[in-house]
Amino acid sequence: MNTFDVIVIGGGHAGIEASVASAKMGCKTALFSMNIHTIGRLSCNPSIGGSAKGHLAKEIDALGGVMGILADKSGLQFKTLNTSKGPAIWSSRSQNDKDLYPLFAQELLLSTKNLSVVNSNIREILIDKDSIKGVITENGETVFSKCVVLCSGTFLNGVLYTGMNGIAGGRIDEQSSTSISRNLLSYGFKTGRLKTGTPPRIDRNSINFSMLSEVGGDVVPKPFSFRTSTVRNTLTCHQTTTTEKTHNILRKGFSESPMFSGLIAGKGPRYCPSIEDKIERFSDKNSHQILLEREGLTTDSVYVNGFSTSLPRAIQEEGLHSIVGLEKCEILKYGYAVEYDYFFPNQLKSSLETKAIQGLFFAGQINGTSGYEEAASQGLIAGINAALTVKDMPAFTLSRAEAYIGVMIDDLINKESEEPYRIFTSLAEYRLLLRQDNAYKRLSKYGFNFGLIDNNQYEVLQHKENLTGQLISFAQESKASPATINEYLTDIGESKLAETTSLSIIAKRQKVSLKELFSIVNTHDSFPATNELFEKAEIEIKYEGYIKRQLEEVEMFQQTESKLIPKNLDYSSIKSLSAEAREKLIKISPVSLGQASRIAGVSSTDLAVLMLYIR
Amino acid sequence: MSSSNTVCALATPPGISGLAVIRLSGEESFSIADKCFRGKVLLSEAPSHTIHYGKIYDGDVLLDTVTASIFRAPHSYTGENIVEIGCHGGLYTTSNIISTLLNNGAQIAKPGEFTQRAFLNGKLDLTQVEAVADIIHASSVQGSHVAARQLLGGFKNKVDSIRKELLSICALLELELDFSHEDIEFVDKNHLTTLIGNSINTCKNILDSYTSSSILRDGYRVGLVGYPNAGKSTLFNALLDKKRSIVSPIAGTTRDYIEDSLSLNGIWIQIYDTAGIRQDSMDIIEIEGIEFTRQLLETSNLILIVNDISISPLHSVSLYKQLSLLYPEAAFCYIQNKIDSVSQSLVSISDIDSLPVSSLQSIGIKELKIFIEKLASANVDRISDVLLNTRHTAILSEIIKSLENANCSLNIHFSNEYVSLDVRKAIYLLGEITGEVMNEEILNTIFSQFCIGK
């Protein structure tokens, strides 16, 4: 077993995608995990997707990744979030069985052709000059490979905190891996510290549900993956809030919160703040929302979403007991904070290969991101590119105009973030084009070309796209007269038609549903379309003007992206660049003027200098 | 382009003149100048901001007696070492000196290169660069004042404040989207419409000043129109105080048009004398047919209808009325010309501004000039800090369009991301004006306005 094409280190969400993609692309692949039974764990909240994260999950599925399938199989509740906003912002989220998700993941890995799963720590990554040779396991065994994808998550120099007590470990009850950090530092890699926290888990039987409101899934639940036919809702969550009393109790422990008192040096996430952070930052708010998420059908463990904390145990307990419904709750696992190493992601190319070591890829939390979906999408890209490297084929990258994954990776390698990076719709300039509903249209061609989506599956997707196109043309050609349609328009509060108009023009109105239109003018029978197809077509029709404007922006974007910067440009000889810009440009060595424009510290003047210089 | 070269060029207009200035900029300016300049001190040893008398030699041949002004980097226009050689004017001397400098290692500067270097060295931001181009082109005293104010960043401040306002609107829209699963409303949509409306108005105000700034740049344009032999050319000469148009009593003497300019209290006035409009062909279509006249009237700020009062005070009223309908943007005045040839007292015509004039006897000319100046300065007064060029106006119109789109999305209750699309676009475009956004098109547009030596 001593030689592989690709070695993946770490069996988290990044590692799973990387190893499956590489193996499916025909590379002999090994996944090294320090404990096979923890592969695919949902170590934080028991859910997949959410605002913008749902987009990532869809994109992973469209590229032929596996997260969507695993989420569907282990899903207990499915919901589309943000439906009060436009379709570009709609995001899928599922509540998942925390025990089932890893089991399905492990089953999938073990049944994947070309993939060996190895239960072993890695002591060292073997590098010869500036390219990958393989790894050395904890037993001192040398395993050779052409590529290594490092997805070690928070395990690098991880320290766990509850109150002021710190213990070494990646996640609770697991050991942290420090030797790889040291190993890579010696090759000049630079690291920083980040922190993140989790909330306590409580016993379901100790919650007084009679006081709480229920939060259910969608009436018609939709799966993540196009390869899943149906999913069901089998779980209900419950909602409660903290009170002023809770906040007062927690404040008593502030001096003993490691994240809060500064004992942990790493920067914490702005968007998934601890409860102590929220109380301090939004001091005028006297209550915060808490969502109680049961972690599975066969467990009594409930995840207290919104109550991430590293306060001393006694304070956590007292605080929880002051919340409606949780007065007598029993804590199964206390909240904790974890501080860990990450590698500055500007040391990576957009393929996620390190610039310094050929064949070495980084994916997931190691790059300073937070979240399963962020990790999985990086894992997928790194896995694909590791396989392409083995095959000596050009790297695969996605642009900001193509996918949220492209936005994320471009941000990671060009911008500087002092806190864990989490995806948001506001980060995507071209988000009206990057919707969940068109993820397959955007990306499945790549998945198909890489062999991650098979022929039959691809045909199904193509067929759907064709039908959507036909549906749109049909709507443009079919007309409705005022007599047939005005009653409907009046009912929904839209103004009446004065003359016979095409359905596609009527459907542009905010409250008009394309499906309803079709049924009223009786074209429904002549066009057998599913709800999904009607939805896709309606979005294209309704927002056509906006989509067009956004496409114009993309065209401008692509112009600067295509202005390439010569590879060996000597920035140090360009005197008129600012010192900061020169340093950053040397470090990152952007491919194009477009990329240069996004590097933190490169001003528009620096950019003008570059333009004039490379003319 | 590499800024390590030292470049030189004539910085004053070419041609015969008393004095001319040749500018030399770059790291090697002093050493290159020293190779051909002989004075009391070596220029490379002279302190910054000093002037030195000396002689320029090409080898042993004396070319000229000159003064050399020294500006050391970074305290110069370009931010580089600069020598400005003040020499005698004339093509022969200046080109000899420049070729000597070139022989000694300098390169000839491309149009706008000095300013480009100033920009590259962070001495000017982009709006200031454009202002430099505008100063070069500014044709009036007031025009150059406004351009100078813009050079100091006045325009940028104005645009920046709109941009800031829009950025804060955008932040609110995004915040609400980022937390949309919690269904929190951060923004009152009506308030947002008002805020965006305010920004639209500010942009429109700036855009309005374009008319005024084009007056500063190109002069206040006054067109003379009338039937043949109404005395337009005589009036033209009287206003300019010189004989310019061919004046004759034969109708139709002035073909096409003649233009000249005068300065009234610092404002540049551009006057056009048009071909007369034949009464028998008094058809507006016919006037439209006279291409030059039509173009001219379209761009006129003031149209003077010249009437021969000796025929009848009301003789040209229908011409006046038709033209004022055709060119509603322009101001009009009815000139009762040849007042000296009639004894009748003046009849005022309702709804029409009229002035009695005798071009021949110079009666009423002073009053007419005061009238023109008043109108011109009223236009100019609307400008405070903003001098727009065509690039700015094109972008501002696009910004207004985007913001109107945004408000339209708000009106039809489309969600934030649709509003945000157009607000973001407007922010981007504002950045194109201030230079926060950079692309090749902008660079080309700006630097192509320059002439050599600037």
Side-chain angles (χ1 to χ4, degrees):
Chain A
M1 71 149 244
N2 274 335
T3 304
F4 290 93
D5 291 323
V6 175
I7 288 174
V8 177
I9 303 173
H13 301 278
I16 292 171
E17 297 292 350
S19 55
V20 174
S22 158
K24 273 191 172 174
M25 287 172 73
C27 292
K28 195 183 167 201
T29 307
L31 171 66
F32 282 84
S33 165
M34 60 175 80
N35 178 357
I36 284 188
H37 301 292
T38 62
I39 286 178
R41 260 204 188 179
L42 301 176
S43 52
C44 196
N45 58 331
S47 69
I48 301 291
S51 286
K53 287 168 176 278
H55 290 69
L56 287 179
K58 277 280 178 196
E59 290 179 356
I60 292 170
D61 198 59
L63 288 168
V66 298
M67 174 171 254
I69 297 172
L70 298 176
D72 288 339
K73 281 188 174 175
S74 61
L76 304 175
Q77 188 198 89
F78 297 84
K79 196 175 174 137
T80 304
L81 302 181
N82 310 332
T83 46
S84 67
K85 303 285 186 262
I89 310 296
W90 297 348
S91 287
S92 305
R93 189 184 66 190
S94 63
Q95 293 295 331
N96 296 78
D97 193 308
K98 220 166 186 170
D99 297 320
L100 287 180
Y101 192 101
L103 284 182
F104 285 123
Q106 289 154 29
E107 188 191 353
L108 176 88
L109 293 176
L110 292 173
S111 64
T112 299
K113 220 178 106 188
N114 293 332
L115 178 59
S116 315
V117 182
V118 187
N119 198 356
S120 169
N121 256 325
I122 297 300
R123 189 200 294 162
E124 199 183 325
I125 294 173
L126 273 180
I127 295 164
D128 180 27
K129 280 183 197 151
D130 53 5
S131 57
I132 279 290
K133 283 285 156 278
V135 298
I136 301 176
T137 68
E138 61 188 344
N139 306 324
E141 192 185 352
T142 301
V143 186
F144 295 103
S145 73
K146 293 180 188 125
C147 290
V148 168
V149 184
L150 185 59
C151 315
S152 48
T154 61
F155 288 94
L156 296 177
N157 288 335
V159 181
L160 298 174
Y161 288 90
T162 302
M164 303 303 268
N165 306 314
I167 39 163
R171 290 189 297 245
I172 211 152
D173 304 333
E174 295 172 24
Q175 322 146 271
S176 80
S177 152
T178 55
S179 60
I180 295 180
S181 268
R182 276 201 303 275
N183 175 205
L184 290 176
L185 287 176
S186 70
Y187 284 94
F189 284 99
K190 298 271 185 295
T191 62
R193 283 305 256 178
L194 287 174
K195 63 182 176 180
T196 184
T198 70
R201 275 66 156 183
I202 57 178
D203 190 337
R204 189 172 82 99
N205 301 310
S206 63
I207 301 172
N208 180 5
F209 287 106
S210 66
M211 304 293 291
L212 305 177
S213 55
E214 290 191 352
V215 182
D218 286 343
V219 181
V220 184
K222 288 182 216 152
F224 272 106
S225 177
F226 76 101
R227 292 163 284 193
T228 307
S229 47
T230 49
V231 288
R232 288 191 310 138
N233 288 328
T234 48
L235 177 99
T236 314
C237 298
H238 293 83
Q239 197 179 307
T240 182
T241 57
T242 59
T243 61
E244 190 59 37
K245 192 178 161 203
T246 319
H247 296 185
N248 287 333
I249 293 167
L250 297 180
R251 279 196 187 97
K252 289 193 297 186
F254 277 9
S255 58
E256 289 176 79
S257 162
M259 279 189 73
F260 201 69
S261 64
L263 179 65
I264 294 186
K267 296 272 170 41
R270 195 173 6 153
Y271 294 108
C272 184
S274 65
I275 186 70
E276 44 264 46
D277 266 349
K278 283 196 262 187
I279 293 172
E280 182 71 8
R281 208 167 331 147
F282 306 108
S283 53
D284 53 330
K285 266 194 96 178
N286 41 30
S287 84
H288 292 283
Q289 197 182 302
I290 300 288
L291 193 63
L292 301 174
E293 305 171 349
R294 192 177 170 192
E295 299 201 289
L297 289 183
T298 53
T299 172
D300 287 328
S301 177
V302 171
Y303 182 89
V304 189
N305 197 342
F307 203 84
S308 171
T309 180
S310 56
L311 290 168
R313 296 181 169 204
I315 304 264
Q316 289 189 26
E317 189 158 353
E318 202 187 337
L320 283 175
H321 286 167
S322 69
I323 295 172
V324 176
L326 306 186
E327 294 86 352
K328 293 186 176 147
C329 75
E330 275 173 38
I331 297 178
L332 299 176
K333 219 178 248 178
Y334 285 89
Y336 61 91
V338 54
E339 189 188 37
Y340 56 97
D341 278 352
Y342 77 107
F343 286 80
F344 294 128
N346 60 19
Q347 303 169 99
L348 301 173
K349 304 177 191 170
S350 52
S351 62
L352 297 182
E353 185 178 21
T354 59
K355 288 175 191 160
I357 309 293
Q358 204 193 335
L360 178 60
F361 294 79
F362 290 169
Q365 261 179 313
I366 188 175
N367 291 333
T369 61
S370 105
Y372 310 141
E373 304 78 4
E374 285 84 348
S377 25
Q378 291 171 62
L380 182 57
I381 299 297
I384 290 172
N385 280 313
L388 291 172
T389 305
V390 170
K391 297 168 176 219
D392 212 9
M393 283 163 71
F396 171 61
T397 58
L398 289 165
S399 86
R400 298 184 75 87
E402 246 177 329
Y404 272 85
I405 297 177
V407 172
M408 174 179 67
I409 293 175
D410 189 68
D411 280 348
L412 286 174
I413 64 175
N414 293 313
K415 293 180 182 164
E416 285 173 2
S417 174
E418 293 200 320
E419 55 189 21
Y421 181 95
R422 179 214 190 281
I423 195 71
F424 276 102
T425 70
S426 54
L427 298 170
E429 300 86 339
Y430 313 110
R431 67 183 157 199
L432 299 187
L433 306 177
L434 308 183
R435 305 182 308 269
Q436 285 197 166
D437 71 85
N438 68 0
Y440 299 102
K441 192 177 175 184
R442 290 185 273 129
L443 303 172
S444 61
K445 53 183 181 275
Y446 301 120
F448 175 65
N449 287 340
F450 296 137
L452 301 176
I453 292 176
D454 68 33
N455 246 327
N456 291 340
Q457 293 167 341
Y458 192 57
E459 266 171 29
V460 169
L461 288 174
Q462 292 287 83
H463 185 60
K464 273 191 196 172
E465 293 311 327
N466 290 341
L467 282 178
T468 311
Q470 286 170 29
L471 194 53
I472 294 170
S473 324
F474 206 86
Q476 285 163 342
E477 287 152 17
S478 317
K479 292 191 161 77
S481 66
T484 51
I485 208 76
N486 275 350
E487 191 186 334
Y488 165 68
L489 290 177
T490 316
D491 280 352
I492 59 168
E494 291 279 358
S495 58
K496 290 183 186 173
L497 281 188
E499 54 189 26
T500 299
T501 310
S502 82
L503 298 189
S504 63
I505 290 183
I506 308 173
K508 283 190 191 300
R509 301 184 181 191
Q510 169 76 341
K511 293 177 196 153
V512 171
S513 134
L514 186 66
K515 193 185 170 189
E516 293 278 333
L517 278 188
F518 268 61
S519 70
I520 293 167
V521 296
N522 241 340
T523 41
H524 204 156
D525 297 334
S526 54
F527 205 101
T530 59
N531 286 343
E532 183 196 349
L533 290 190
F534 270 118
E535 189 182 289
K536 281 160 78 82
E538 185 177 322
I539 292 168
E540 297 278 353
I541 292 171
K542 198 161 249 140
Y543 303 99
E544 190 194 2
Y546 294 90
I547 290 171
K548 227 188 211 158
R549 292 216 282 285
Q550 188 108 78
L551 283 170
E552 283 165 15
E553 289 180 6
V554 168
E555 211 168 288
M556 277 173 56
F557 161 77
Q558 277 160 349
Q559 272 176 20
T560 49
E561 291 305 290
S562 65
K563 292 259 153 49
L564 299 183
I565 297 176
K567 262 190 186 143
N568 302 319
L569 185 61
D570 179 13
Y571 292 102
S572 58
S573 73
I574 309 176
K575 285 188 210 134
S576 23
L577 288 172
S578 71
E580 189 190 1
R582 193 178 307 124
E583 183 204 331
K584 294 282 170 58
L585 287 165
I586 290 171
K587 203 195 290 178
I588 293 174
S589 75
V591 179
S592 65
L593 280 178
Q595 191 190 342
S597 72
R598 293 188 296 275
I599 295 172
V602 175
S603 72
S604 60
T605 307
D606 296 317
L607 204 60
V609 171
L610 264 185
M611 279 177 194
L612 293 168
Y613 203 87
I614 66 177
R615 263 195 204 174
Chain B
M1 190 221 81
S2 165
S3 58
S4 57
N5 298 336
T6 296
V7 292
C8 72
L10 183 63
T12 45
I16 313 254
S17 60
L19 290 173
V21 174
I22 293 163
R23 186 184 264 168
L24 188 62
S25 176
E27 209 172 329
E28 305 300 323
S29 290
F30 302 141
S31 58
I32 290 173
D34 273 334
K35 288 184 193 159
C36 34
F37 176 87
R38 292 180 206 163
K40 278 187 190 160
V41 291
L42 271 178
L43 296 178
S44 14
E45 285 163 12
S48 190
H49 295 76
T50 53
I51 299 181
H52 306 273
Y53 175 80
K55 289 179 171 126
I56 292 273
Y57 285 87
D58 177 10
D60 293 329
V61 184
L62 174 65
L63 295 179
D64 197 7
T65 307
V66 300
T67 56
S69 310
I70 299 298
F71 304 91
R72 290 188 175 271
H75 305 291
S76 72
Y77 179 70
T78 55
E80 302 170 335
N81 289 336
I82 283 187
V83 179
E84 284 182 1
I85 298 169
C87 58
H88 291 97
L91 215 55
Y92 183 72
T93 319
T94 51
S95 61
N96 274 345
I97 295 177
I98 288 173
S99 55
T100 307
L101 292 171
L102 296 182
N103 290 337
N104 282 300
Q107 293 184 3
I108 193 79
K110 293 187 285 265
E113 182 155 3
F114 291 117
T115 306
Q116 187 166 309
R117 287 174 179 228
F119 171 66
L120 290 183
N121 291 323
K123 299 294 283 186
L124 299 170
D125 75 29
L126 216 51
T127 50
Q128 291 167 334
V129 168
E130 291 193 275
V132 172
D134 287 337
I135 285 183
I136 298 170
H137 298 144
S139 51
S140 76
V141 178
Q142 294 199 2
S144 61
H145 282 172
V146 176
R149 241 177 296 165
Q150 185 169 336
L151 195 53
L152 295 173
F155 179 47
K156 190 176 191 299
N157 289 343
K158 212 159 198 165
V159 174
D160 271 344
S161 73
I162 305 175
R163 195 159 182 266
K164 241 180 235 156
E165 175 85 25
L166 293 179
L167 276 172
S168 70
I169 290 173
C170 214
L172 285 175
L173 289 170
E174 295 300 338
L175 196 62
E176 200 172 290
L177 284 175
D178 282 347
F179 289 90
S180 53
H181 55 282
E182 292 180 20
D183 266 331
I184 306 168
E185 285 239 343
F186 291 93
V187 242
D188 169 13
K189 296 287 149 71
N190 290 331
H191 182 55
L192 214 56
T193 311
T194 316
L195 287 180
I196 293 175
N198 290 344
S199 295
I200 294 176
N201 287 336
T202 316
C203 290
K204 280 186 173 162
N205 285 340
I206 300 179
L207 205 51
D208 273 349
S209 69
Y210 178 61
T211 338
S212 346
S213 57
S214 70
I215 291 170
L216 288 185
R217 196 192 315 271
D218 308 325
Y220 186 76
R221 297 161 69 89
V222 180
L224 304 185
V225 191
Y227 295 126
N229 225 10
K232 297 182 297 294
S233 300
T234 325
L235 178 63
F236 182 84
N237 288 342
L239 279 170
L240 292 164
D241 209 13
K242 61 184 171 192
K243 277 209 157 53
R244 169 74 194 260
S245 301
I246 305 156
V247 185
S248 83
I250 309 156
T253 311
T254 308
R255 295 184 196 285
D256 294 332
Y257 72 92
I258 292 167
E259 67 169 278
D260 209 331
S261 52
L262 73 151
S263 170
L264 291 179
N265 205 10
I267 303 172
W268 204 244
I269 311 285
Q270 201 75 25
I271 304 186
Y272 302 83
D273 181 13
T274 68
I277 291 157
R278 280 171 210 276
Q279 200 173 0
D280 48 7
S281 63
M282 227 325 284
D283 184 6
I284 287 301
I285 314 272
E286 178 88 14
I287 299 177
E288 289 264 79
I290 309 170
E291 180 63 20
F292 282 120
T293 308
R294 192 179 58 79
Q295 270 183 15
L296 200 138
L297 294 180
E298 255 172 21
T299 55
S300 287
N301 303 102
L302 169 66
I303 296 173
L304 300 178
I305 308 288
V306 185
N307 180 50
D308 184 349
I309 199 171
S310 65
I311 299 175
S312 152
L314 303 175
H315 182 57
S316 312
V317 168
S318 73
L319 181 65
Y320 179 103
K321 295 214 159 142
Q322 292 184 68
L323 287 179
S324 57
L325 278 176
L326 214 55
Y327 306 108
E329 303 273 305
F332 279 84
C333 185
Y334 194 78
I335 305 293
Q336 297 286 23
N337 197 16
K338 306 190 184 173
I339 186 88
D340 54 315
S341 63
V342 289
S343 49
Q344 69 205 74
S345 56
L346 270 173
V347 197
S348 76
I349 312 161
S350 61
D351 303 337
I352 291 182
D353 270 335
S354 65
L355 279 175
V357 160
S358 164
S359 313
L360 220 53
Q361 310 272 320
S362 281
I363 301 169
I365 296 298
K366 201 173 142 199
E367 287 74 9
L368 178 56
K369 281 186 178 175
I370 291 170
F371 176 78
I372 295 171
E373 188 206 317
K374 229 195 227 160
L375 280 179
S377 60
N379 273 293
V380 170
D381 279 350
R382 281 193 286 143
I383 314 176
S384 44
D385 290 316
V386 182
L387 182 71
L388 294 174
N389 57 36
T390 26
R391 186 178 85 88
H392 293 148
T393 51
I395 298 177
L396 277 170
S397 308
E398 253 192 278
I399 291 170
I400 292 171
K401 209 168 76 196
S402 293
L403 292 177
E404 282 171 348
N405 278 338
N407 262 355
C408 171
S409 304
L410 279 168
N411 283 339
I412 57 172
H413 305 291
F414 267 28
S415 147
N416 289 8
E417 67 274 21
Y418 296 100
V419 182
S420 169
L421 167 73
D422 291 300
V423 177
R424 279 182 184 215
K425 176 84 184 286
I427 292 171
Y428 178 87
L429 290 169
L430 284 163
E432 282 197 353
I433 296 181
T434 58
E436 246 128 316
V437 171
M438 179 56 56
N439 59 48
E440 298 223 17
E441 208 183 323
I442 303 175
L443 266 191
N444 289 339
T445 318
I446 292 173
F447 288 106
S448 66
Q449 297 178 55
F450 287 94
C451 43
I452 294 175
K454 198 65 203 174

